[in-house]
Amino acid sequence: MGVCGYLFLPWKCLVVVSLRLLFLVPTGVPVRSGDATFPKAMDNVTVRQGESATLRCTIDDRVTRVAWLNRSTILYAGNDKWSIDPRVIILVNTPTQYSIMIQNVDVYDEGPYTCSVQTDNHPKTSRVHLIVQVPPQIMNISSDITVNEGSSVTLLCLAIGRPEPTVTWRHLSVKGQGFVSEDEYLEISDIKRDQSGEYECSALNDVAAPDVRKVKITVNYPPYISKAKNTGVSVGQKGILSCEASAVPMAEFQWFKEDTRLATGLDGVRIENKGRMSTLTFFNVSEKDYGNYTCVATNKLGNTNASITLYEISPSPAVAGPGAVIDGVNSASRALACLWLSGTLLAHFFIKF
Ligand SMILES: *[C@@H]1O[C@H](CO)[C@@H](O)[C@H](O)[C@H]1NC(C)=O
Ligand SMILES: *[C@@H]1O[C@H](CO)[C@@H](O)[C@H](O)[C@H]1NC(C)=O
Ligand SMILES: *[C@@H]1O[C@H](CO)[C@@H](O)[C@H](O)[C@H]1NC(C)=O
Ligand SMILES: *[C@@H]1O[C@H](CO)[C@@H](O)[C@H](O)[C@H]1NC(C)=O
Ligand SMILES: *[C@@H]1O[C@H](CO)[C@@H](O)[C@H](O)[C@H]1NC(C)=O
Ligand SMILES: *[C@@H]1O[C@H](CO)[C@@H](O)[C@H](O)[C@H]1NC(C)=O
């Protein structure tokens, strides 16, 4: 082998060396597990993609030839490198150990590797499996989506990894964090408004922490008026009618009295919309303001309305009385405390002198 080049092996030379190794590595010789004789390779080697794998073979001084093979391809024979792969290097070649290293291991390196030795003209082999692990990684996931209530939605989450990761979907709802699918696909038919929100896809294998990503589903639905309360106000006071509607997208509001649409600035009223809530404010309620008002909530999926009554109540009495009583109690107790304090001080005074 010394006459051959190191990396660049002429074809003729290869054949010669291969023939020389043929007797050394007979094909089809079964690896007898539990055989205590040489060579002794290690148990299966598990490494992560990108890491280095060490293939170790324990020998003794009766061994005359050694080689490491990848399937039927010789990687190293003694100190001579046969593999053209720069990631394969020799680590140890001593009378007791023969080890090589594969750097930056990739998934295609997975498989059986064989340590082959010759002792007293008897070839022996030992096999080790290189197992390559890959952390879970989500490769393709659905984008955030907006749908109308009642439609069907399919979310997709594709993940790679070794071993093959388990993919699950959870709904990160306010109530619970229930699993909704133990699959790459999450199918929701006839989606309801309470199924909106964030969904989390998680890809899990036992190599590394799970890869987790989120998708948001927005469910559109027409307005629904959740609060509309009749309100009593006396003449000359400020009156506020409020109307609350839930809707996606958010509702827009209009106020009517009979068939007349109301607007800020007209007839001493102001309309304010804040999120789900709309208020109609009367700055100075007069007799003509009493009656039924209609709050209309609209979004692109529809509209709904509610009738709210502004009714008259008699003016509330002044609230001076109770305040005065409390003040009286306070001053009375303060006076008592004062008396007690001076009494104590007085007592002290007399005891001391
Ligand atoms: C080594 O890996 C191979 C292939 O995955 C398997 O058949 C064998 O049982 C493993 N041996 C040990 C000792 O784990
Ligand atoms: C082992 O053999 C496989 C299949 O031929 C090949 O893809 C891989 O690169 C080889 N690995 C090493 C370290 O030689
Ligand atoms: C993700 O998957 C979808 C559906 O299979 C496909 O149309 C799309 O091209 C994929 N995107 C990427 C980045 O692989
Ligand atoms: C409310 O309206 C009445 C009648 O128009 C008027 O006399 C009164 O001054 C007003 N009050 C306020 C606070 O503007
Ligand atoms: C206002 O509405 C109530 C109930 O919706 C109804 O009973 C009442 O007659 C209405 N009043 C007017 C003035 O339309
Ligand atoms: C309120 O709703 C009813 C029935 O849904 C409809 O007939 C009416 O026209 C609506 N009123 C307004 C002011 O939109």
Side-chain angles (χ1 to χ4, degrees):
M1 183 59 201
V3 291
C4 303
Y6 176 65
L7 274 178
F8 181 74
L9 300 165
W11 182 83
K12 228 174 165 179
C13 185
L14 259 178
V15 172
V16 172
V17 180
S18 299
L19 285 173
R20 235 171 67 191
L21 269 143
L22 213 65
F23 73 92
L24 194 144
V25 189
T27 47
V29 168
V31 180
R32 289 202 284 140
S33 55
D35 191 348
T37 59
F38 295 112
K40 177 79 182 76
M42 53 208 300
D43 289 338
N44 288 347
V45 179
T46 302
V47 293
R48 280 200 210 172
Q49 185 182 39
E51 291 180 348
S52 298
T54 301
L55 304 181
R56 214 173 270 124
C57 193
T58 307
I59 53 178
D60 73 3
D61 50 15
R62 289 177 298 147
V63 169
T64 51
R65 292 173 209 273
V66 285
W68 266 110
L69 289 81
N70 174 4
R71 294 180 178 87
S72 55
T73 310
I74 298 163
L75 299 175
Y76 260 97
N79 283 325
D80 295 326
K81 184 168 180 179
W82 281 53
S83 168
I84 56 159
D85 192 333
R87 301 174 304 136
V88 180
I89 57 172
I90 188 151
L91 277 187
V92 183
N93 184 5
T94 66
T96 53
Q97 203 195 105
Y98 184 57
S99 306
I100 61 165
M101 179 187 262
I102 305 166
Q103 296 169 323
N104 192 16
V105 166
D106 212 331
V107 289
Y108 52 76
D109 294 321
E110 185 165 293
Y113 289 77
T114 307
C115 173
S116 175
V117 307
Q118 181 168 304
T119 310
D120 311 326
N121 279 330
H122 294 296
K124 289 204 177 78
T125 61
S126 172
R127 181 175 281 195
V128 55
H129 265 90
L130 177 61
I131 295 161
V132 183
Q133 295 187 324
V134 181
Q137 193 189 350
I138 294 171
M139 299 306 287
N140 191 350
I141 188 164
S142 301
S143 314
D144 291 353
I145 187 172
T146 299
V147 295
N148 292 344
E149 196 170 38
S151 46
S152 296
V153 178
T154 301
L155 298 184
L156 162 79
C157 179
L158 296 180
I160 56 156
R162 265 167 180 257
E164 182 97 15
T166 337
V167 176
T168 53
W169 281 100
R170 287 193 308 161
H171 184 195
L172 306 178
S173 61
V174 191
K175 290 169 215 154
Q177 301 208 332
F179 280 91
V180 285
S181 174
E182 313 240 322
D183 188 36
E184 293 170 329
Y185 290 91
L186 168 61
E187 289 177 29
I188 308 172
S189 52
D190 188 17
I191 194 166
K192 297 284 180 272
R193 58 193 73 177
D194 63 4
Q195 289 174 298
S196 66
E198 284 193 317
Y199 286 79
E200 183 188 84
C201 171
S202 162
L204 178 76
N205 67 14
D206 52 13
V207 177
D211 193 12
V212 172
R213 284 174 63 184
K214 288 176 191 165
V215 177
K216 192 177 173 192
I217 301 183
T218 304
V219 180
N220 288 337
Y221 60 92
Y224 159 79
I225 293 180
S226 47
K227 213 161 93 189
K229 217 174 101 219
N230 298 335
T231 306
V233 184
S234 54
V235 169
Q237 297 293 304
K238 186 177 178 182
I240 298 174
L241 296 182
S242 59
C243 177
E244 195 179 287
S246 60
V248 176
M250 205 91 88
E252 291 180 7
F253 293 93
Q254 293 176 334
W255 289 87
F256 290 89
K257 186 171 190 194
E258 271 106 50
D259 289 335
T260 313
R261 184 170 168 194
L262 304 177
T264 296
L266 296 177
D267 306 317
V269 297
R270 184 175 67 204
I271 295 169
E272 273 179 303
N273 300 322
K274 229 183 228 162
R276 297 151 55 98
M277 181 87 94
S278 179
T279 55
L280 173 64
T281 305
F282 302 86
F283 292 106
N284 182 359
V285 171
S286 65
E287 290 287 351
K288 70 169 172 53
D289 292 329
Y290 295 121
N292 287 346
Y293 291 81
T294 307
C295 160
V296 181
T298 308
N299 76 2
K300 63 182 181 183
L301 294 190
N303 68 77
T304 185
N305 65 59
S307 179
I308 309 175
T309 308
L310 182 70
Y311 59 91
E312 181 166 13
I313 56 170
S314 48
S316 51
V319 281
V325 171
I326 289 162
D327 260 10
V329 169
N330 280 347
S331 24
S333 47
R334 241 181 269 130
L336 271 172
C338 213
L339 265 176
W340 173 83
L341 194 65
S342 27
T344 321
L345 281 174
L346 228 72
H348 259 272
F349 188 82
F350 283 124
I351 289 160
K352 268 199 162 174
F353 299 94

